[in-house]
Each structure stands twice: as C-alpha cells, then as structure tokens.
Amino acid sequence: MRALGRISGFVRFAPLILALILGALVFLAATGRLECVPLPSYAVFPQQKVLVVHDSSDPGGESAYREISAALHYAKISMESVDLAETSSLPDLTSYSCLVLSTEKIYKLDRSQAERIRRFVQEGGGLAVLYRGWNPYLADLFGFPEGKIPPFSKAHGVEFKCDFQPGIKDEKLGLLTLSPEDEPLISCFDIRPKEAEVIAASSEGIPLIWLRRCGKGRVLYWNADWLAYKRARGLIPQSILCAQGAGGMTIANVGVFYIDDFPCYPPLGWLEPVKSEYGLSGVDFYYKHWYPDIVKLGRKYGIKYSFFVVFNYNAKTEPPFDFEQWKYAKIRLNGQDVPFTIYMAHQIAQHYELGLHGYNHVSLTLKNWKSEDQMVKALRAAREQWIEDGLGDLPLSYVPPHNIYDEHGIKALREAFPSIKVIGGIYLGKFEEGGNREFGPDPWDEEIFDIPRLTEGYFLTPQNRLLLIGGLNMLGVFSHFIHPDDVYDNPVNYPEKARWSWRNPETLPWRGDLNGRKNGLYYHLDELLDFVSRNYPWLRYMFVKDAYKEFERYFDIKASFSFSREELKAVFSDAPVYFQIRLDDGRRINLSELENCQFVHVYEGEGYYLYTFKALRREVRLKFILPM
C-alpha cells in the first residue's frame, strides 16, 4: 500500500517535475551553458548526380579527372562537370548529391563560390576532394590549419586505418602501393587535419585520407595524387558514396580466370624447384600435380577457368607452319604413349573453356611478322590443327602473347578466326602495344570486345591487392591470369633476368608439403582466392565467353538512384542487374520489405553498411530502418 501511495504521489507531481526540467533546459540553452546536439541527418536527394570540378590546364588534375570519369562510367553513377579553365563560377549545386574536386587549381574559386560550397555541405551535400588542393576560403572546411598553404611532402605507400572498402584494411598484408612503373612517391601536404577521422596514412604517418562532418554534410579529403593513376581508380566510387553519406552503384558481378599458355609444349628437362620437390620433368609435373591442383582450387572456389592454348614455341613467322612441338611431348596412358597437349586440350574442353593464345608465342604485330598475310597463314594453320585434333567449338576468345598486339594483328586474327569476339589483353601497359585497355569495344576494332586482365600471378602483392580491390569496388569484376610455368620463372633457372621480372622471385616450391612449410605457389594462390571469397562472396565466376554476353548487356543498362529519409528508389533500363547500396549515415535496409529485388549480401564495415542486391525488375524500392 505504501508503494502504491508513493507511485500515486509521483504521478500527481509528474507534470510539475517535467515543467521544472524543461524550464531548466531552456535556461541553460539560453545562457549558453548547454550545447544542443542536432538530431541525426540522413542523406536525401531526388536523384544521385555528381558534379566534378576540374581544370583542363592542370595536367595532374586532368589525369585524376579521366580516372574519375572512367570509374563513374563503370559504376553507372551519373556525373556532370565544370572546367575552371573556362569558368570560375559553379552551377546550382542543389541538384547534385556530391561535389567532387579534381584539380589543385581550386584556388581559382573566390570567396562567394567557396561560400556556396560551404552551404551545400552544411545543408547535407557531399564533398569529395579526390586530388589534393588548397583554397584559403575552404581550408577550414577541409580541416586544414588556418594560415598559408601547407608545405608539400613525399610519402611511401598507403595504410588504411579502417575497412574503407572490403579487404582494404589488412595488417598482415600491409601497405598498398603503386607499381614500379608509376611514380613510387605520393605527393601530399604535410599537415595534421583538425576534427577529422583519419581513414588512411602513409608509412611515415602523414594523413592521406580523412573524413569530416560539417553541418548535415560530409567532406572526404584525399591528401594525395594517387587517384591520377589508373591502378588506383577503383577507390573512386566508394570514396564518393562515402562522402555522400549514402549512395548506389551498379556492378557487372563477373569473375573470370584466364590461364595462359596451356595446353602448351612443356619444359622437358628437370628444372628447379620441381626437380628438388618432385623429381619430375615439366610434362609429368603439369600432368600429375599442376593441373590436378588447379582443378582442386577451382572446385573449392567455384571457378570456371578459361584456358588459352599455344601450339608452338617456335619463332617461325614464315611458312611452313608445322606442329612438331605441339605433338612432341608424350604421357603414358593405358600402356600407350599419348600426345600430352592434345590429351589435355580434350580434358579441358570437356569441363572448361578453351581459347586461343596463338600459333606460336610471337606477338601479332607487323614488326614481328613483316606482313598481315604471314600472320593470317600461321593463324589459319592453327585453326586447321584445332579442327583436326577435334578440340571442340572454335575459340571465341584470344589472349595475345606477351600481352602485345597491334592493329594489323587484330585484323589478321579476325580474318583467320571469325569466331573470336573477345581479346583478353591487359588493363595497364602501353596503349600502342595493345595494353591499357578498358572493358568494352576495342579501340582498333569495335567488333572485338576487350575483357582485360587486371591482376596476375600467384601472390597477393600490394599492387595486385590494389587492383583486385579496385576492380571489385568499381565494376564488380575480378579478372585474373596465371601461367603454368610461373613456378619455373625464377633466378635459379633464369639468372640473367631482372629481379622485378621473375614470376617466382624466391624460387618457392609448387606446394612445399614435403618440407612441411606449405609455402609454395599453390598455397599462395589459395590465399589470394580465399581473400576474394571472404571479402566478396557475391562474386559470380564464369567463362570468358559468358562474361562477354554479360558485359555487353551490362553496358547497355542505364541506372538512377534517389534517396528519401525513409526509402530509396532505384530505376534501371533493363533487368536483372546487380547493384550495391552504401550507407554511412546510420541507416540500415529493411530486408523484410524488398520490392522487386533479391538480397545477395551485406558487408558490415566500420561505420557503414555495403549491401549487394539483384534487381529483378526495372524499378526497385527499399525501406530504411532508422537508428533509435
């Protein structure tokens, strides 16, 4: 009874107590003794659209601008641009979800333009500075200490302090770096930003990427020139979505695995490290260990390999075009000697895809072959041998020897093999040698579709990891290649080669099971594939011939995203298509109320969620769960 009396008394005086509390809060707020914490703000925009500010008179910034344009094209993020070399006045910013600065010449923006940018951010817009620059009227917005422009510095490598993208933070794998052929040093400001969350720093501890919250909006600042390099391009889409606080992009969701030079004329001698590990020649090693182990890894990770046959390693560029090497190596089956290459080609054709690497390993260039006619004759001989050996359907895809070809080579290839629709060149390299290719029609022949290889080899090197993560976070693509003879490419067998060019520089064994260390190429490749599987479990592996059809359809699709406080809408010109939604503002997607799409995966990062969906129809609606 006494307890009920106390409760009754509290209820009687509750209005008075509440009034006193509210009065005290009002008094404290009025006297400045209480800071009012704003309610959480959420990214809201009727249409996701990015405005990129660049300056065509700034060479470094223009390199970054080209990479930004390419990355947003792949991710189907709508963009417009303004060139500060032509005007220093920005358009109406209210129609954009994010403003991207891609030039160090942002100092051209005067106080009034800077104030417009400041208001845009404070009212909820995203600002992504993707090429380090300075402006006295924007310095505090960037988090720079007040005063003059900070001094420049040089830095080595990038270490991520948080998992800004899946798999990018990995203490075991260490720094991410550009390749030796790129500028090895990072150009940055030597500063420590104020009131900022440092996302990445250099090996020297200089902050290279940071995030600031300003009003209702966010500022992501890249204190580096890294994004001017194609190798780092894949970091751009997620940088923009993070700056927005929320955003969407499409992905092709394609994994292709090229195996060059197999079947091929194998090493016949006893070379290291296979000699010490197994005591086998090249042909027996490939047949008894390498191929079965590759098949085992393929089954473990669901990989559909595409093998590329080369018929000879002779240097012939004039008739007669024989096939002595193709038929020379033998293996013993059921008491009979059987041509190793033909037997393996039949095994592959039954389970995987068989493509063409060439009549021989001489690159299809006029410099090597003297005439298109000679290339055509050699390729036609390869075509006849393919048919004679019953290797199945004529190849749809081709990988150029040494990753090199020219306009004459592509013409000869099309004439001799009309079935070929895809060239698997390389993503980097020299354009004039057939490298530096994009996913899409080949610039020398629009009837040929390029599906370039982004990564290579058995090791998850810093350069490989940067390209791997970038491809998956920009286009949703893993495009990798290896050779069977990578294990032999080491300083013991080829001491005359430059160290950087060895594919097995430590002369590691194939497995290393016998020495108990299990440090061989097989386990390194397993580690690489496990890294992909753990961080990107949504990836679909397919043959190159199937990837060709997927890419053709993907690049024809248009996409748009709009965000309100409670839901998002995605509209596509065709379906099905895979897409991703990134949320950095505390919201989550209600997976029990999906409209016209299928949930695939969610990655719970540090401070964000990255959802992967498959749109089943052209219009998709998703509901948000707001944080309490």
Side-chain angles (χ1 to χ4, degrees), residues 62-138:
E62 282 301 276
S63 295
Y65 173 62
R66 286 192 293 271
E67 302 307 331
I68 292 167
S69 301
L72 296 187
H73 164 71
Y74 282 149
K76 299 189 185 296
I77 297 175
S78 177
M79 70 163 273
E80 294 177 357
S81 63
V82 59
D83 187 352
L84 292 182
E86 298 176 355
T87 178
S88 58
S89 180
L90 302 178
D92 179 14
L93 299 180
T94 59
S95 60
Y96 300 99
S97 55
C98 189
L99 175 63
V100 173
L101 303 183
S102 174
T103 173
E104 63 182 357
K105 293 191 176 183
I106 54 173
Y107 54 73
K108 291 183 178 182
L109 297 169
D110 61 20
R111 185 187 298 272
S112 65
Q113 298 299 316
E115 284 304 312
R116 294 178 59 201
I117 293 173
R118 187 185 305 278
R119 285 196 303 273
F120 170 72
V121 175
Q122 290 176 338
E123 292 170 5
L127 175 60
V129 183
L130 300 187
Y131 190 83
R132 49 107 183 95
W134 185 83
N135 180 298
Y137 308 118
L138 293 170

Side-chain angles (χ1 to χ4, degrees), residues 249-261:
M249 59 180 280
T250 60
I251 56 171
N253 193 2
V254 170
V256 287
F257 199 114
Y258 294 80
I259 299 182
D260 298 0
D261 297 287

